[in-house]
Amino acid sequence: VLTLYELSGKNDERFSPFCWRARFAIAHKELEAAYVPVRFTDKQTIAFSGQERVPVLVDGNTTVSDSWKIACYLEQSYPDRPSLFGGKEARALTRFIDLWATQTLFPPLVRMVLVDVLEHLDNEDANYIRQSREQQLGMTWDALRAERHEHKPVFQQHLALLRRQLRRQPFLAGSAPAYVDYSVFGLLQWARMISDYPLFDAKDNVQEWYGQMAARADRIAAAIGKAT
Ligand SMILES: N[C@@H](CCC(=O)N[C@@H](CS)C(=O)NCC(=O)O)C(=O)O
């Protein structure tokens, strides 16, 4: 049986974008897992993994951290289950989109909604995140809040690529969702869970895909909630 260590907020909210990628991947593979909450400052619980970030997946004697490595591990270890990528070539292309999502789409999204994450963290975690992220982003929390609106045009520009693709097919992977959809949507699910900040224009055709993916996330969360 699998165990996924994932981030949790003060009321046990599971909003981590990278953990959502792993949640989607486990559900796609139709696997069962135990989901263990880890707070940002609770590095002890995942010390066995030899690093300090979630998600961490444990499968028997195997420990895998990093969302991409987890997806590749699941694909390789459970080849009889539905494929996350649809072949080796598709895996390589999925990795490219995974990197694009994390390194191009995510930064302006972070700058728009990260300020709202503190409301979901206890004091210790909130202090840790505020300090570490202020340092990472090179700006104060107040500055981050003040300029959040400035990042919307860039984010919308990046979304345009998704829009073009989603005009032709309902999911990034084609007629049904696969890891490429989870990789991108996982980041949006984070925003969706921590913030009410409006990311989309009213008549944005990304919305249909977004709605489908959000419903899928809600079904996964409900199933996990029932099992724990
Ligand atoms: N490359 C990793 C990134 C994982 C990551 O950054 N996780 C965040 C939670 S969203 C984390 O554990 N942060 C711990 C910290 O900032 O101390 C992945 O794809 O899984």
Side-chain angles (χ1 to χ4, degrees), residues 155-203:
F155 176 72
Q156 288 283 334
Q157 214 172 15
H158 296 323
L159 272 189
L161 295 177
L162 297 181
R163 274 195 213 103
R164 276 186 72 160
Q165 180 81 333
L166 294 169
R167 264 208 296 269
R168 288 174 184 82
Q169 53 191 60
F171 296 97
L172 299 174
S175 56
Y179 194 76
V180 64
D181 294 278
Y182 310 144
S183 171
V184 176
F185 184 78
L187 309 180
L188 300 173
Q189 172 70 0
W190 168 74
R192 178 176 176 244
M193 287 190 72
I194 65 166
S195 176
D196 293 330
Y197 192 78
L199 300 176
F200 304 108
D201 296 333
K203 270 186 55 206

mmCIF file of all heavy atoms in Angstrom, residues 155-203:
data_model
loop_
_atom_site.group_PDB
_atom_site.id
_atom_site.type_symbol
_atom_site.label_atom_id
_atom_site.label_comp_id
_atom_site.label_asym_id
_atom_site.label_seq_id
_atom_site.Cartn_x
_atom_site.Cartn_y
_atom_site.Cartn_z
ATOM 1 N N PHE A 155 0.475 36.382 -16.717
ATOM 2 C CA PHE A 155 -0.167 35.090 -16.484
ATOM 3 C C PHE A 155 -1.154 34.784 -17.618
ATOM 4 O O PHE A 155 -1.174 33.675 -18.162
ATOM 5 C CB PHE A 155 -0.892 35.128 -15.129
ATOM 6 C CG PHE A 155 -1.664 33.879 -14.817
ATOM 7 C CD1 PHE A 155 -0.999 32.699 -14.490
ATOM 8 C CD2 PHE A 155 -3.056 33.881 -14.847
ATOM 9 C CE1 PHE A 155 -1.720 31.538 -14.206
ATOM 10 C CE2 PHE A 155 -3.770 32.730 -14.562
ATOM 11 C CZ PHE A 155 -3.102 31.561 -14.244
ATOM 12 N N GLN A 156 -1.959 35.777 -17.982
ATOM 13 C CA GLN A 156 -2.943 35.605 -19.060
ATOM 14 C C GLN A 156 -2.257 35.276 -20.390
ATOM 15 O O GLN A 156 -2.752 34.472 -21.174
ATOM 16 C CB GLN A 156 -3.773 36.893 -19.210
ATOM 17 C CG GLN A 156 -4.753 37.113 -18.082
ATOM 18 C CD GLN A 156 -5.990 36.230 -18.192
ATOM 19 O OE1 GLN A 156 -6.360 35.827 -19.275
ATOM 20 N NE2 GLN A 156 -6.594 35.908 -17.062
ATOM 21 N N GLN A 157 -1.115 35.879 -20.598
ATOM 22 C CA GLN A 157 -0.349 35.627 -21.811
ATOM 23 C C GLN A 157 0.107 34.166 -21.866
ATOM 24 O O GLN A 157 0.030 33.516 -22.905
ATOM 25 C CB GLN A 157 0.877 36.529 -21.764
ATOM 26 C CG GLN A 157 1.330 37.045 -23.085
ATOM 27 C CD GLN A 157 2.437 38.076 -22.866
ATOM 28 O OE1 GLN A 157 3.025 38.177 -21.787
ATOM 29 N NE2 GLN A 157 2.712 38.837 -23.891
ATOM 30 N N HIS A 158 0.568 33.658 -20.737
ATOM 31 C CA HIS A 158 0.993 32.254 -20.689
ATOM 32 C C HIS A 158 -0.213 31.323 -20.887
ATOM 33 O O HIS A 158 -0.109 30.295 -21.543
ATOM 34 C CB HIS A 158 1.672 31.933 -19.364
ATOM 35 C CG HIS A 158 2.942 32.697 -19.166
ATOM 36 N ND1 HIS A 158 3.805 32.980 -20.188
ATOM 37 C CD2 HIS A 158 3.504 33.213 -18.053
ATOM 38 C CE1 HIS A 158 4.838 33.657 -19.720
ATOM 39 N NE2 HIS A 158 4.684 33.816 -18.424
ATOM 40 N N LEU A 159 -1.341 31.735 -20.304
ATOM 41 C CA LEU A 159 -2.556 30.927 -20.452
ATOM 42 C C LEU A 159 -2.993 30.806 -21.908
ATOM 43 O O LEU A 159 -3.658 29.844 -22.289
ATOM 44 C CB LEU A 159 -3.711 31.567 -19.679
ATOM 45 C CG LEU A 159 -3.930 31.235 -18.215
ATOM 46 C CD1 LEU A 159 -5.258 31.845 -17.788
ATOM 47 C CD2 LEU A 159 -3.926 29.748 -17.951
ATOM 48 N N ALA A 160 -2.605 31.784 -22.702
ATOM 49 C CA ALA A 160 -3.021 31.785 -24.112
ATOM 50 C C ALA A 160 -2.594 30.501 -24.815
ATOM 51 O O ALA A 160 -3.292 30.013 -25.704
ATOM 52 C CB ALA A 160 -2.445 33.009 -24.818
ATOM 53 N N LEU A 161 -1.472 29.950 -24.427
ATOM 54 C CA LEU A 161 -1.010 28.691 -25.026
ATOM 55 C C LEU A 161 -1.985 27.565 -24.708
ATOM 56 O O LEU A 161 -2.327 26.754 -25.570
ATOM 57 C CB LEU A 161 0.376 28.313 -24.500
ATOM 58 C CG LEU A 161 1.519 29.248 -24.853
ATOM 59 C CD1 LEU A 161 2.794 28.770 -24.190
ATOM 60 C CD2 LEU A 161 1.688 29.325 -26.356
ATOM 61 N N LEU A 162 -2.419 27.523 -23.458
ATOM 62 C CA LEU A 162 -3.388 26.494 -23.070
ATOM 63 C C LEU A 162 -4.692 26.698 -23.826
ATOM 64 O O LEU A 162 -5.311 25.758 -24.296
ATOM 65 C CB LEU A 162 -3.662 26.559 -21.563
ATOM 66 C CG LEU A 162 -2.488 26.277 -20.624
ATOM 67 C CD1 LEU A 162 -2.965 26.378 -19.184
ATOM 68 C CD2 LEU A 162 -1.898 24.915 -20.895
ATOM 69 N N ARG A 163 -5.092 27.956 -23.933
ATOM 70 C CA ARG A 163 -6.342 28.268 -24.625
ATOM 71 C C ARG A 163 -6.342 27.751 -26.047
ATOM 72 O O ARG A 163 -7.302 27.154 -26.504
ATOM 73 C CB ARG A 163 -6.527 29.785 -24.684
ATOM 74 C CG ARG A 163 -7.175 30.334 -23.472
ATOM 75 C CD ARG A 163 -7.661 31.746 -23.746
ATOM 76 N NE ARG A 163 -7.530 32.469 -22.510
ATOM 77 C CZ ARG A 163 -6.576 33.327 -22.250
ATOM 78 N NH1 ARG A 163 -5.671 33.631 -23.159
ATOM 79 N NH2 ARG A 163 -6.517 33.901 -21.087
ATOM 80 N N ARG A 164 -5.267 27.995 -26.738
ATOM 81 C CA ARG A 164 -5.194 27.552 -28.143
ATOM 82 C C ARG A 164 -5.323 26.048 -28.251
ATOM 83 O O ARG A 164 -6.031 25.531 -29.098
ATOM 84 C CB ARG A 164 -3.866 27.982 -28.761
ATOM 85 C CG ARG A 164 -3.901 29.385 -29.264
ATOM 86 C CD ARG A 164 -2.653 29.730 -29.984
ATOM 87 N NE ARG A 164 -2.569 29.076 -31.287
ATOM 88 C CZ ARG A 164 -1.779 29.489 -32.264
ATOM 89 N NH1 ARG A 164 -1.030 30.551 -32.078
ATOM 90 N NH2 ARG A 164 -1.735 28.852 -33.401
ATOM 91 N N GLN A 165 -4.634 25.351 -27.366
ATOM 92 C CA GLN A 165 -4.677 23.894 -27.389
ATOM 93 C C GLN A 165 -6.083 23.398 -27.024
ATOM 94 O O GLN A 165 -6.595 22.459 -27.622
ATOM 95 C CB GLN A 165 -3.639 23.340 -26.391
ATOM 96 C CG GLN A 165 -3.586 21.841 -26.309
ATOM 97 C CD GLN A 165 -2.771 21.227 -27.432
ATOM 98 O OE1 GLN A 165 -2.649 21.798 -28.495
ATOM 99 N NE2 GLN A 165 -2.206 20.062 -27.184
ATOM 100 N N LEU A 166 -6.703 24.053 -26.049
ATOM 101 C CA LEU A 166 -7.993 23.584 -25.542
ATOM 102 C C LEU A 166 -9.160 23.998 -26.436
ATOM 103 O O LEU A 166 -10.292 23.594 -26.210
ATOM 104 C CB LEU A 166 -8.200 24.076 -24.104
ATOM 105 C CG LEU A 166 -7.208 23.465 -23.091
ATOM 106 C CD1 LEU A 166 -7.278 24.191 -21.755
ATOM 107 C CD2 LEU A 166 -7.447 21.971 -22.909
ATOM 108 N N ARG A 167 -8.879 24.775 -27.460
ATOM 109 C CA ARG A 167 -9.914 25.037 -28.470
ATOM 110 C C ARG A 167 -10.118 23.807 -29.334
ATOM 111 O O ARG A 167 -11.169 23.594 -29.902
ATOM 112 C CB ARG A 167 -9.483 26.202 -29.359
ATOM 113 C CG ARG A 167 -10.050 27.538 -28.925
ATOM 114 C CD ARG A 167 -10.216 28.493 -30.089
ATOM 115 N NE ARG A 167 -8.931 28.850 -30.687
ATOM 116 C CZ ARG A 167 -8.206 29.901 -30.307
ATOM 117 N NH1 ARG A 167 -8.625 30.678 -29.347
ATOM 118 N NH2 ARG A 167 -7.059 30.172 -30.894
ATOM 119 N N ARG A 168 -9.091 23.009 -29.448
ATOM 120 C CA ARG A 168 -9.124 21.860 -30.362
ATOM 121 C C ARG A 168 -9.447 20.553 -29.676
ATOM 122 O O ARG A 168 -9.808 19.575 -30.307
ATOM 123 C CB ARG A 168 -7.760 21.722 -31.041
ATOM 124 C CG ARG A 168 -7.537 22.793 -32.050
ATOM 125 C CD ARG A 168 -6.152 22.768 -32.645
ATOM 126 N NE ARG A 168 -6.027 23.909 -33.536
ATOM 127 C CZ ARG A 168 -5.744 25.140 -33.130
ATOM 128 N NH1 ARG A 168 -5.526 25.392 -31.866
ATOM 129 N NH2 ARG A 168 -5.672 26.131 -33.995
ATOM 130 N N GLN A 169 -9.229 20.477 -28.385
ATOM 131 C CA GLN A 169 -9.429 19.213 -27.668
ATOM 132 C C GLN A 169 -9.773 19.537 -26.224
ATOM 133 O O GLN A 169 -9.326 20.545 -25.687
ATOM 134 C CB GLN A 169 -8.159 18.367 -27.751
ATOM 135 C CG GLN A 169 -6.908 19.098 -27.300
ATOM 136 C CD GLN A 169 -5.634 18.353 -27.637
ATOM 137 O OE1 GLN A 169 -5.339 18.087 -28.783
ATOM 138 N NE2 GLN A 169 -4.894 17.984 -26.596
ATOM 139 N N PRO A 170 -10.574 18.682 -25.573
ATOM 140 C CA PRO A 170 -11.047 19.028 -24.229
ATOM 141 C C PRO A 170 -9.956 19.000 -23.154
ATOM 142 O O PRO A 170 -10.043 19.710 -22.167
ATOM 143 C CB PRO A 170 -12.126 17.977 -23.943
ATOM 144 C CG PRO A 170 -11.891 16.878 -24.910
ATOM 145 C CD PRO A 170 -11.231 17.485 -26.112
ATOM 146 N N PHE A 171 -8.937 18.169 -23.352
ATOM 147 C CA PHE A 171 -7.861 18.097 -22.361
ATOM 148 C C PHE A 171 -6.506 18.274 -23.050
ATOM 149 O O PHE A 171 -6.393 18.048 -24.258
ATOM 150 C CB PHE A 171 -7.903 16.748 -21.625
ATOM 151 C CG PHE A 171 -9.153 16.569 -20.818
ATOM 152 C CD1 PHE A 171 -10.227 15.858 -21.336
ATOM 153 C CD2 PHE A 171 -9.282 17.162 -19.564
ATOM 154 C CE1 PHE A 171 -11.401 15.721 -20.603
ATOM 155 C CE2 PHE A 171 -10.456 17.028 -18.834
ATOM 156 C CZ PHE A 171 -11.520 16.308 -19.350
ATOM 157 N N LEU A 172 -5.518 18.653 -22.281
ATOM 158 C CA LEU A 172 -4.189 18.846 -22.879
ATOM 159 C C LEU A 172 -3.681 17.540 -23.468
ATOM 160 O O LEU A 172 -2.989 17.525 -24.473
ATOM 161 C CB LEU A 172 -3.215 19.387 -21.825
ATOM 162 C CG LEU A 172 -3.616 20.742 -21.231
ATOM 163 C CD1 LEU A 172 -2.672 21.140 -20.100
ATOM 164 C CD2 LEU A 172 -3.641 21.814 -22.314
ATOM 165 N N ALA A 173 -4.048 16.412 -22.836
ATOM 166 C CA ALA A 173 -3.607 15.109 -23.320
ATOM 167 C C ALA A 173 -4.473 14.596 -24.472
ATOM 168 O O ALA A 173 -4.142 13.599 -25.090
ATOM 169 C CB ALA A 173 -3.603 14.088 -22.183
ATOM 170 N N GLY A 174 -5.587 15.262 -24.761
ATOM 171 C CA GLY A 174 -6.471 14.810 -25.843
ATOM 172 C C GLY A 174 -7.910 14.718 -25.376
ATOM 173 O O GLY A 174 -8.439 15.649 -24.777
ATOM 174 N N SER A 175 -8.527 13.548 -25.597
ATOM 175 C CA SER A 175 -9.942 13.422 -25.256
ATOM 176 C C SER A 175 -10.164 13.091 -23.779
ATOM 177 O O SER A 175 -11.283 13.188 -23.283
ATOM 178 C CB SER A 175 -10.593 12.344 -26.136
ATOM 179 O OG SER A 175 -9.872 11.142 -25.984
ATOM 180 N N ALA A 176 -9.107 12.690 -23.090
ATOM 181 C CA ALA A 176 -9.205 12.388 -21.654
ATOM 182 C C ALA A 176 -7.973 12.951 -20.958
ATOM 183 O O ALA A 176 -6.915 13.085 -21.566
ATOM 184 C CB ALA A 176 -9.303 10.874 -21.440
ATOM 185 N N PRO A 177 -8.097 13.294 -19.671
ATOM 186 C CA PRO A 177 -6.957 13.882 -18.980
ATOM 187 C C PRO A 177 -5.853 12.876 -18.695
ATOM 188 O O PRO A 177 -6.111 11.683 -18.535
ATOM 189 C CB PRO A 177 -7.562 14.399 -17.664
ATOM 190 C CG PRO A 177 -8.788 13.597 -17.450
ATOM 191 C CD PRO A 177 -9.297 13.233 -18.813
ATOM 192 N N ALA A 178 -4.617 13.348 -18.664
ATOM 193 C CA ALA A 178 -3.471 12.530 -18.263
ATOM 194 C C ALA A 178 -2.508 13.428 -17.491
ATOM 195 O O ALA A 178 -2.877 14.561 -17.143
ATOM 196 C CB ALA A 178 -2.811 11.906 -19.491
ATOM 197 N N TYR A 179 -1.307 12.945 -17.250
ATOM 198 C CA TYR A 179 -0.432 13.678 -16.332
ATOM 199 C C TYR A 179 -0.177 15.117 -16.764
ATOM 200 O O TYR A 179 -0.026 16.001 -15.915
ATOM 201 C CB TYR A 179 0.896 12.939 -16.118
ATOM 202 C CG TYR A 179 1.631 13.510 -14.930
ATOM 203 C CD1 TYR A 179 1.228 13.209 -13.631
ATOM 204 C CD2 TYR A 179 2.680 14.408 -15.095
ATOM 205 C CE1 TYR A 179 1.855 13.779 -12.532
ATOM 206 C CE2 TYR A 179 3.324 14.975 -14.003
ATOM 207 C CZ TYR A 179 2.908 14.653 -12.725
ATOM 208 O OH TYR A 179 3.525 15.215 -11.641
ATOM 209 N N VAL A 180 -0.126 15.356 -18.069
ATOM 210 C CA VAL A 180 0.116 16.738 -18.520
ATOM 211 C C VAL A 180 -0.965 17.676 -17.985
ATOM 212 O O VAL A 180 -0.674 18.814 -17.584
ATOM 213 C CB VAL A 180 0.237 16.797 -20.076
ATOM 214 C CG1 VAL A 180 -1.060 16.392 -20.759
ATOM 215 C CG2 VAL A 180 0.700 18.166 -20.520
ATOM 216 N N ASP A 181 -2.207 17.208 -17.932
ATOM 217 C CA ASP A 181 -3.290 18.011 -17.352
ATOM 218 C C ASP A 181 -3.101 18.181 -15.849
ATOM 219 O O ASP A 181 -3.332 19.256 -15.302
ATOM 220 C CB ASP A 181 -4.645 17.335 -17.621
ATOM 221 C CG ASP A 181 -4.989 17.305 -19.112
ATOM 222 O OD1 ASP A 181 -5.491 18.308 -19.629
ATOM 223 O OD2 ASP A 181 -4.709 16.279 -19.762
ATOM 224 N N TYR A 182 -2.684 17.113 -15.186
ATOM 225 C CA TYR A 182 -2.514 17.174 -13.726
ATOM 226 C C TYR A 182 -1.367 18.104 -13.349
ATOM 227 O O TYR A 182 -1.431 18.814 -12.363
ATOM 228 C CB TYR A 182 -2.250 15.782 -13.139
ATOM 229 C CG TYR A 182 -3.236 14.742 -13.609
ATOM 230 C CD1 TYR A 182 -2.830 13.423 -13.851
ATOM 231 C CD2 TYR A 182 -4.572 15.074 -13.819
ATOM 232 C CE1 TYR A 182 -3.727 12.470 -14.286
ATOM 233 C CE2 TYR A 182 -5.479 14.126 -14.258
ATOM 234 C CZ TYR A 182 -5.049 12.820 -14.491
ATOM 235 O OH TYR A 182 -5.939 11.869 -14.936
ATOM 236 N N SER A 183 -0.318 18.060 -14.149
ATOM 237 C CA SER A 183 0.847 18.886 -13.868
ATOM 238 C C SER A 183 0.469 20.362 -13.896
ATOM 239 O O SER A 183 0.820 21.123 -12.996
ATOM 240 C CB SER A 183 1.948 18.601 -14.891
ATOM 241 O OG SER A 183 2.985 19.536 -14.740
ATOM 242 N N VAL A 184 -0.258 20.755 -14.941
ATOM 243 C CA VAL A 184 -0.653 22.161 -15.064
ATOM 244 C C VAL A 184 -1.755 22.490 -14.058
ATOM 245 O O VAL A 184 -1.663 23.473 -13.317
ATOM 246 C CB VAL A 184 -1.135 22.471 -16.505
ATOM 247 C CG1 VAL A 184 -1.647 23.912 -16.592
ATOM 248 C CG2 VAL A 184 -0.012 22.234 -17.512
ATOM 249 N N PHE A 185 -2.766 21.657 -13.984
ATOM 250 C CA PHE A 185 -3.903 21.996 -13.122
ATOM 251 C C PHE A 185 -3.530 21.949 -11.637
ATOM 252 O O PHE A 185 -4.106 22.693 -10.827
ATOM 253 C CB PHE A 185 -5.128 21.113 -13.387
ATOM 254 C CG PHE A 185 -6.297 21.553 -12.563
ATOM 255 C CD1 PHE A 185 -7.036 22.664 -12.933
ATOM 256 C CD2 PHE A 185 -6.607 20.908 -11.371
ATOM 257 C CE1 PHE A 185 -8.078 23.132 -12.143
ATOM 258 C CE2 PHE A 185 -7.649 21.362 -10.573
ATOM 259 C CZ PHE A 185 -8.391 22.470 -10.960
ATOM 260 N N GLY A 186 -2.594 21.090 -11.270
ATOM 261 C CA GLY A 186 -2.156 21.025 -9.869
ATOM 262 C C GLY A 186 -1.785 22.408 -9.341
ATOM 263 O O GLY A 186 -2.105 22.769 -8.206
ATOM 264 N N LEU A 187 -1.143 23.190 -10.196
ATOM 265 C CA LEU A 187 -0.734 24.540 -9.798
ATOM 266 C C LEU A 187 -1.954 25.439 -9.618
ATOM 267 O O LEU A 187 -2.021 26.249 -8.692
ATOM 268 C CB LEU A 187 0.205 25.135 -10.853
ATOM 269 C CG LEU A 187 1.405 24.271 -11.282
ATOM 270 C CD1 LEU A 187 2.234 25.003 -12.325
ATOM 271 C CD2 LEU A 187 2.263 23.890 -10.074
ATOM 272 N N LEU A 188 -2.935 25.271 -10.505
ATOM 273 C CA LEU A 188 -4.157 26.078 -10.414
ATOM 274 C C LEU A 188 -5.021 25.646 -9.235
ATOM 275 O O LEU A 188 -5.725 26.460 -8.624
ATOM 276 C CB LEU A 188 -4.946 25.978 -11.724
ATOM 277 C CG LEU A 188 -4.208 26.468 -12.975
ATOM 278 C CD1 LEU A 188 -5.017 26.154 -14.227
ATOM 279 C CD2 LEU A 188 -3.932 27.958 -12.884
ATOM 280 N N GLN A 189 -4.956 24.365 -8.900
ATOM 281 C CA GLN A 189 -5.700 23.854 -7.752
ATOM 282 C C GLN A 189 -5.189 24.493 -6.456
ATOM 283 O O GLN A 189 -5.960 24.798 -5.550
ATOM 284 C CB GLN A 189 -5.591 22.323 -7.696
ATOM 285 C CG GLN A 189 -6.153 21.650 -6.460
ATOM 286 C CD GLN A 189 -7.676 21.692 -6.350
ATOM 287 O OE1 GLN A 189 -8.364 22.231 -7.206
ATOM 288 N NE2 GLN A 189 -8.202 21.121 -5.292
ATOM 289 N N TRP A 190 -3.890 24.690 -6.400
ATOM 290 C CA TRP A 190 -3.294 25.391 -5.255
ATOM 291 C C TRP A 190 -3.919 26.776 -5.129
ATOM 292 O O TRP A 190 -4.407 27.165 -4.054
ATOM 293 C CB TRP A 190 -1.772 25.487 -5.461
ATOM 294 C CG TRP A 190 -1.056 26.412 -4.534
ATOM 295 C CD1 TRP A 190 -0.780 26.195 -3.216
ATOM 296 C CD2 TRP A 190 -0.508 27.703 -4.860
ATOM 297 N NE1 TRP A 190 -0.093 27.279 -2.695
ATOM 298 C CE2 TRP A 190 0.082 28.210 -3.695
ATOM 299 C CE3 TRP A 190 -0.457 28.476 -6.025
ATOM 300 C CZ2 TRP A 190 0.720 29.450 -3.643
ATOM 301 C CZ3 TRP A 190 0.172 29.704 -5.980
ATOM 302 C CH2 TRP A 190 0.749 30.188 -4.800
ATOM 303 N N ALA A 191 -3.923 27.515 -6.237
ATOM 304 C CA ALA A 191 -4.495 28.869 -6.224
ATOM 305 C C ALA A 191 -5.966 28.819 -5.824
ATOM 306 O O ALA A 191 -6.439 29.623 -5.017
ATOM 307 C CB ALA A 191 -4.337 29.516 -7.600
ATOM 308 N N ARG A 192 -6.670 27.850 -6.391
ATOM 309 C CA ARG A 192 -8.104 27.696 -6.133
ATOM 310 C C ARG A 192 -8.382 27.464 -4.649
ATOM 311 O O ARG A 192 -9.367 27.946 -4.096
ATOM 312 C CB ARG A 192 -8.597 26.516 -6.969
ATOM 313 C CG ARG A 192 -10.039 26.157 -6.803
ATOM 314 C CD ARG A 192 -10.418 25.034 -7.776
ATOM 315 N NE ARG A 192 -11.779 24.625 -7.539
ATOM 316 C CZ ARG A 192 -12.144 23.404 -7.121
ATOM 317 N NH1 ARG A 192 -11.237 22.458 -6.951
ATOM 318 N NH2 ARG A 192 -13.402 23.125 -6.899
ATOM 319 N N MET A 193 -7.482 26.710 -3.990
ATOM 320 C CA MET A 193 -7.715 26.368 -2.586
ATOM 321 C C MET A 193 -7.303 27.459 -1.616
ATOM 322 O O MET A 193 -7.812 27.518 -0.498
ATOM 323 C CB MET A 193 -7.004 25.060 -2.232
ATOM 324 C CG MET A 193 -7.694 23.840 -2.830
ATOM 325 S SD MET A 193 -7.020 22.293 -2.190
ATOM 326 C CE MET A 193 -7.669 22.291 -0.509
ATOM 327 N N ILE A 194 -6.350 28.301 -2.000
ATOM 328 C CA ILE A 194 -5.876 29.282 -1.009
ATOM 329 C C ILE A 194 -6.416 30.687 -1.230
ATOM 330 O O ILE A 194 -6.287 31.531 -0.351
ATOM 331 C CB ILE A 194 -4.328 29.350 -0.937
ATOM 332 C CG1 ILE A 194 -3.733 29.858 -2.254
ATOM 333 C CG2 ILE A 194 -3.740 28.009 -0.514
ATOM 334 C CD1 ILE A 194 -2.278 30.260 -2.107
ATOM 335 N N SER A 195 -7.000 30.958 -2.398
ATOM 336 C CA SER A 195 -7.297 32.351 -2.718
ATOM 337 C C SER A 195 -8.568 32.501 -3.546
ATOM 338 O O SER A 195 -8.903 31.634 -4.345
ATOM 339 C CB SER A 195 -6.108 32.923 -3.500
ATOM 340 O OG SER A 195 -6.360 34.238 -3.914
ATOM 341 N N ASP A 196 -9.248 33.631 -3.359
ATOM 342 C CA ASP A 196 -10.420 33.946 -4.186
ATOM 343 C C ASP A 196 -10.047 34.869 -5.332
ATOM 344 O O ASP A 196 -10.904 35.331 -6.080
ATOM 345 C CB ASP A 196 -11.487 34.666 -3.340
ATOM 346 C CG ASP A 196 -12.070 33.739 -2.298
ATOM 347 O OD1 ASP A 196 -12.106 32.526 -2.561
ATOM 348 O OD2 ASP A 196 -12.460 34.240 -1.220
ATOM 349 N N TYR A 197 -8.788 35.152 -5.434
ATOM 350 C CA TYR A 197 -8.334 36.097 -6.446
ATOM 351 C C TYR A 197 -8.782 35.643 -7.842
ATOM 352 O O TYR A 197 -8.545 34.496 -8.222
ATOM 353 C CB TYR A 197 -6.811 36.212 -6.382
ATOM 354 C CG TYR A 197 -6.274 37.364 -7.182
ATOM 355 C CD1 TYR A 197 -6.339 38.653 -6.690
ATOM 356 C CD2 TYR A 197 -5.712 37.152 -8.435
ATOM 357 C CE1 TYR A 197 -5.849 39.720 -7.425
ATOM 358 C CE2 TYR A 197 -5.216 38.211 -9.176
ATOM 359 C CZ TYR A 197 -5.289 39.492 -8.660
ATOM 360 O OH TYR A 197 -4.810 40.539 -9.401
ATOM 361 N N PRO A 198 -9.442 36.534 -8.611
ATOM 362 C CA PRO A 198 -9.950 36.120 -9.932
ATOM 363 C C PRO A 198 -8.816 35.970 -10.955
ATOM 364 O O PRO A 198 -8.131 36.931 -11.263
ATOM 365 C CB PRO A 198 -10.896 37.264 -10.320
ATOM 366 C CG PRO A 198 -10.431 38.441 -9.536
ATOM 367 C CD PRO A 198 -9.774 37.930 -8.295
ATOM 368 N N LEU A 199 -8.654 34.767 -11.472
ATOM 369 C CA LEU A 199 -7.547 34.493 -12.393
ATOM 370 C C LEU A 199 -7.965 34.560 -13.846
ATOM 371 O O LEU A 199 -7.140 34.756 -14.732
ATOM 372 C CB LEU A 199 -6.983 33.090 -12.124
ATOM 373 C CG LEU A 199 -6.419 32.824 -10.741
ATOM 374 C CD1 LEU A 199 -6.015 31.369 -10.631
ATOM 375 C CD2 LEU A 199 -5.227 33.730 -10.469
ATOM 376 N N PHE A 200 -9.260 34.349 -14.097
ATOM 377 C CA PHE A 200 -9.712 34.200 -15.475
ATOM 378 C C PHE A 200 -10.672 35.321 -15.866
ATOM 379 O O PHE A 200 -11.342 35.903 -15.023
ATOM 380 C CB PHE A 200 -10.415 32.858 -15.665
ATOM 381 C CG PHE A 200 -9.561 31.702 -15.279
ATOM 382 C CD1 PHE A 200 -9.819 30.985 -14.125
ATOM 383 C CD2 PHE A 200 -8.470 31.338 -16.056
ATOM 384 C CE1 PHE A 200 -9.014 29.923 -13.752
ATOM 385 C CE2 PHE A 200 -7.665 30.284 -15.701
ATOM 386 C CZ PHE A 200 -7.938 29.572 -14.547
ATOM 387 N N ASP A 201 -10.738 35.562 -17.156
ATOM 388 C CA ASP A 201 -11.756 36.452 -17.688
ATOM 389 C C ASP A 201 -13.039 35.649 -17.838
ATOM 390 O O ASP A 201 -13.006 34.437 -17.991
ATOM 391 C CB ASP A 201 -11.324 36.999 -19.045
ATOM 392 C CG ASP A 201 -10.076 37.855 -18.912
ATOM 393 O OD1 ASP A 201 -9.866 38.419 -17.816
ATOM 394 O OD2 ASP A 201 -9.311 37.933 -19.882
ATOM 395 N N ALA A 202 -14.157 36.367 -17.813
ATOM 396 C CA ALA A 202 -15.465 35.704 -17.817
ATOM 397 C C ALA A 202 -15.628 34.761 -19.007
ATOM 398 O O ALA A 202 -16.154 33.663 -18.868
ATOM 399 C CB ALA A 202 -16.571 36.743 -17.798
ATOM 400 N N LYS A 203 -15.168 35.189 -20.185
ATOM 401 C CA LYS A 203 -15.430 34.387 -21.376
ATOM 402 C C LYS A 203 -14.174 33.643 -21.842
ATOM 403 O O LYS A 203 -13.871 33.574 -23.024
ATOM 404 C CB LYS A 203 -15.952 35.268 -22.513
ATOM 405 C CG LYS A 203 -17.478 35.377 -22.485
ATOM 406 C CD LYS A 203 -18.011 36.137 -23.700
ATOM 407 C CE LYS A 203 -17.547 35.524 -25.015
ATOM 408 N NZ LYS A 203 -17.492 36.490 -26.114
#
